Amino acid sequence: MVTEPGGSLDDFGASSAGRPSTAAAERPDDGGIYNIESSDPRQTLVDRSGVSAEDIQQITELMKALGSLREAEQHLSQVSRRYMQLNETDMRALHYLIVCSNTNTFATPGAIAHHLRISSASTTKLLDRLERGGHIVRSPHPTDRRALTISITPETHRAAMETVGRQQSKRFYAAARLTPAEREVVIRFLRDMTEEITLRDEAWAQEGAHAD
């Protein structure tokens, strides 16, 4: 049985007789979740010939670190949406509007739709929802009479910056603690991993495809 990492110490402790508890015996530790030897023991997915045991262990630690980062980001995103009482797309739209405000850029419905990769109809519904909630203001475009500009209200801007934004910005300190050479390695690694997992023409990922 495979479960997500986590749980109390009791889950992984020994029984009163000194034997591993049933819960501990039924689930791997965090390393087992991310260890390629556990998830792909027959090398069906990854050919590991020529990769040393030490390298596999270090890669496992790297995957564990990425998993921990992903969990922290997911938790922060969930709490942020709950605090702001908005959904994920709403939050992305507000972030975009904050950046536009900080850079003196006019945010139009079309630009928002392009940034969020949603249709014009969906953008209109999103803006209606945010306007009803007092988060945005629609105004005439200063140079294009046919267009509107969208701006975030000062109250929502302040609330987002002092809570969600402040917590998110702490990632900068982690990057600043690295040397320039270390940052180059991290950048190359993240870009390489993004390239590796980006979906392209995989048949199973096409719309309408599903497991039997």
Side-chain angles (χ1 to χ4, degrees):
M1 178 177 68
V2 177
T3 64
E4 290 298 322
S8 67
L9 292 176
D10 292 339
D11 291 337
F12 303 100
S15 67
S16 58
R19 297 186 302 274
S21 66
T22 302
E26 289 182 348
R27 69 171 112 184
D29 60 13
D30 286 3
I33 293 293
Y34 296 105
N35 193 330
I36 190 67
E37 300 282 13
S38 300
S39 58
D40 184 31
R42 297 177 181 82
Q43 302 193 42
T44 304
L45 302 175
V46 178
D47 180 3
R48 299 186 291 282
S49 57
V51 182
S52 69
E54 291 77 11
D55 284 343
I56 290 176
Q57 180 58 39
Q58 189 177 40
I59 291 170
T60 296
E61 291 301 316
L62 176 57
M63 295 306 169
K64 285 171 62 178
L66 286 173
S68 296
L69 173 61
R70 183 166 54 248
E71 290 173 3
E73 288 181 327
Q74 290 172 343
H75 180 62
L76 177 57
S77 177
Q78 180 184 25
V79 173
S80 300
R81 295 194 303 270
R82 184 181 66 202
Y83 174 78
M84 297 295 294
Q85 301 182 62
L86 298 169
N87 64 37
E88 182 177 355
T89 304
D90 295 341
M91 295 290 287
R92 290 178 58 210
L94 292 183
H95 181 219
Y96 177 77
L97 292 175
I98 288 174
V99 172
C100 288
S101 175
N102 292 340
T103 57
N104 295 317
T105 302
F106 294 124
T108 64
I112 294 171
H114 178 76
H115 174 71
L116 298 177
R117 298 182 180 181
I118 60 177
S119 67
S120 297
S122 295
T123 302
T124 298
K125 292 180 181 178
L126 177 145
L127 296 178
D128 288 344
R129 184 168 61 249
L130 292 177
E131 188 174 43
R132 286 195 302 270
H135 299 296
I136 66 162
V137 174
R138 288 176 164 109
S139 304
H141 195 285
T143 60
D144 186 350
R145 294 182 179 179
R146 299 168 300 175
L148 293 173
T149 62
I150 312 300
S151 57
I152 188 170
T153 62
E155 296 79 11
T156 295
H157 191 164
R158 183 167 54 253
M161 290 292 290
E162 289 301 319
T163 54
V164 181
R166 188 171 297 281
Q167 192 70 20
Q168 293 274 15
S169 68
K170 291 180 180 179
R171 289 182 291 192
F172 178 89
Y173 299 123
R177 285 191 287 269
L178 300 175
T179 66
E182 288 171 332
R183 284 193 288 272
E184 285 297 330
V185 172
V186 174
I187 292 168
R188 186 172 71 249
F189 164 71
L190 293 176
R191 287 176 174 169
D192 190 27
M193 180 165 280
T194 300
E195 180 70 15
E196 287 287 350
I197 69 171
T198 295
L199 293 171
R200 293 180 174 82
D201 299 323
E202 288 79 1
W204 62 268
Q206 303 307 308
E207 186 174 355
H210 56 80
D212 294 332

